[in-house]
Amino acid sequence: MGICRFHTYMRYVLHKKKHKADPELFIKNLQFEKVPVRVYEPRAPSAGLRKGIIFFHGGGGVFGSVDTYEHVCQHIARESEAVVASVEYRLAPEHKPPAQYEDCLTAAIHFMRKPEDYGVDPTRIITAGDSAGAYLAATVTQTLSSRPDLPKLRAQVLMYPFIQALDFNLPSYQQYCRIPLLSQEEVILFALQWLKGNSSILKPALEGAHIPPEIRLKYRKWLSPDNIPKEFKVKGYKPHFPTEYRKDIYEQIKLTFDPLTSPLLAEEAIVCQLPETFLMTCEYDVLRDDGLLYKKRLEDSGVPVTWYHGENAFHGIINLFDSGVLTFPAGKRALDNIVSFLRGL
């Protein structure tokens, strides 16, 4: 309606809802270096050091906060008997990428260097996040996998992650292009903000004009729709043939091909070192196939993957596991599976 920007509206709506503090948890607002972090620790006595979870919230990198994920982090900390550190990273467009990644990496390194200060076992540290937070968890985990000066991560938990910014015409993008809470165009607009591209190039980016033929060929083994299981291509999908390559579009968003933007494209030497992974996908989600492609990439590299697919779930469902009249049982089922995985680590 031209009243305000979309991200401003979403921040207002999300911050209206307040969650009560869980009496079973100690909750502290801290600083990891200069990054604000909210730490949740079970009050119940523990026989030893606990698991530690570094959590990155979703919101496309432009909205969302530790407050909007308060109920999710409280539930995970209480039910998995773990210490959860929820990171308040800076948001775009006020803070241009890679500020978000840098904040998440800084907080993770601080936590991993001093886990005992938070009652955490250094051999049981997990990264986790949903949507854009899952993308940040994936990129941070890839970076940390090659850090011999830090403890080795025990696992990563990726809930409906954004994994690549090359192909916006995978089967799920076609099938659910207008499904709430995330449409095909919204993904591209969020990606363009991160890539510092102009929204005027949305249509050429959607058609794949930003991908040079030699790069398309190089990454086909990881990005091909052929890697999506047949049962996910039964309805509403037609093979997409990219439009003619345009160098001017490529120059605007060439960061697309950096693994810090598209973690699916990381080198094999990095991927094969990644920890055990819990990966969640939702059926009614344009990012479903991003998750499926990353699942295959991880498995092909020998990484153990526990996959949970929400057949009746949509993007953002985790936030609606306990939301009054807006509660969706699919959200609670997904969270129960995540907690079960965490308790087994």
Side-chain angles (χ1 to χ4, degrees):
M1 295 175 64
I3 298 172
C4 65
R5 291 178 179 270
F6 174 70
H7 69 268
T8 305
Y9 170 74
M10 287 302 299
R11 289 177 191 176
Y12 172 78
V13 170
L14 291 172
H15 289 181
K16 291 288 284 183
K17 186 173 178 60
K18 302 296 182 183
H19 301 281
K20 295 180 180 179
D22 191 320
E24 297 183 36
L25 301 171
F26 293 111
I27 302 175
K28 301 176 184 177
N29 291 314
L30 303 175
Q31 296 271 331
F32 286 6
E33 308 306 327
K34 294 184 179 180
V35 180
V37 175
R38 185 168 296 166
V39 176
Y40 306 84
E41 180 183 353
R43 289 179 180 267
S46 175
L49 296 173
R50 300 182 186 274
K51 292 182 288 289
I53 302 167
I54 309 163
F55 186 88
F56 310 124
H57 67 77
V62 300
F63 55 83
S65 67
V66 296
D67 287 336
T68 57
Y69 280 75
E70 179 85 7
H71 60 314
V72 174
C73 289
Q74 288 188 20
H75 184 89
I76 292 173
R78 185 183 66 247
E79 297 301 321
S80 65
E81 300 178 350
V83 175
V84 175
S86 181
V87 180
E88 188 79 286
Y89 57 85
R90 289 170 289 171
L91 299 175
E94 295 88 348
H95 302 281
K96 297 296 185 184
Q100 297 73 25
Y101 161 78
E102 290 171 348
D103 284 356
C104 292
L105 182 62
T106 296
I109 290 173
H110 174 95
F111 193 64
M112 295 174 75
R113 280 181 173 159
K114 302 178 179 181
E116 292 88 352
D117 290 358
Y118 308 100
V120 168
D121 181 347
T123 67
R124 294 196 296 163
I125 298 175
I126 301 114
T127 55
D130 82 315
S131 189
Y135 151 75
L136 288 165
T139 54
V140 166
T141 301
Q142 288 185 0
T143 300
L144 294 174
S145 68
S146 58
R147 289 286 300 263
D149 58 316
L150 296 171
K152 185 175 176 61
L153 288 168
R154 176 64 182 85
Q156 61 177 342
V157 175
L158 309 178
M159 307 166 226
Y160 33 88
F162 172 87
I163 290 297
Q164 57 84 30
L166 281 75
D167 191 342
F168 299 110
N169 285 280
L170 293 167
S172 59
Y173 271 108
Q174 295 186 28
Q175 294 160 344
Y176 306 120
C177 60
R178 294 182 179 86
I179 291 285
L181 296 167
L182 187 68
S183 70
Q184 181 188 44
E185 284 198 0
E186 285 167 347
V187 173
I188 302 172
L189 285 171
F190 288 146
L192 288 175
Q193 284 208 42
W194 280 60
L195 296 167
K196 305 174 186 177
N198 192 298
S199 60
S200 64
I201 67 169
L202 186 150
K203 189 173 184 349
L206 170 62
E207 295 299 326
H210 61 303
I211 310 176
E214 64 273 17
I215 291 182
R216 186 180 299 279
L217 184 63
K218 176 181 178 180
Y219 293 125
R220 179 172 174 76
K221 59 183 176 181
W222 298 330
L223 195 55
S224 171
D226 294 342
N227 292 339
I228 306 297
K230 290 181 180 179
E231 61 265 30
F232 294 105
K233 296 184 284 189
V234 173
K235 61 178 182 180
Y237 169 63
K238 293 181 180 180
H240 177 260
F241 299 98
T243 189
E244 184 179 355
Y245 166 61
R246 287 177 52 183
K247 187 176 181 181
D248 61 317
I249 305 296
Y250 166 78
E251 289 294 337
Q252 278 200 54
I253 55 173
K254 59 186 175 183
L255 284 175
T256 293
F257 310 102
D258 187 326
L260 284 183
T261 302
S262 299
L264 180 67
L265 309 184
E267 294 296 327
E268 180 61 24
I270 297 293
V271 177
C272 69
Q273 296 184 68
L274 295 176
E276 182 178 355
T277 300
F278 180 97
L279 202 153
M280 174 187 172
T281 53
C282 299
E283 178 56 35
Y284 301 100
D285 182 6
V286 289
L287 295 184
R288 180 198 68 196
D289 294 349
D290 274 35
L292 293 175
L293 290 174
Y294 203 45
K295 171 180 177 288
K296 185 176 190 308
R297 178 86 204 275
L298 292 170
E299 290 174 337
D300 287 351
S301 299
V303 177
V305 177
T306 298
W307 175 46
Y308 174 76
H309 182 63
E311 293 184 355
N312 298 311
F314 51 85
H315 194 85
I317 194 70
I318 289 295
N319 255 311
L320 300 174
F321 83 98
D322 183 19
S323 298
V325 295
L326 291 177
T327 294
F328 286 81
K332 182 60 164 58
R333 284 194 296 271
L335 209 50
D336 286 346
N337 276 269
I338 292 165
V339 167
S340 176
F341 172 80
L342 293 168
R343 289 179 70 95
L345 296 175

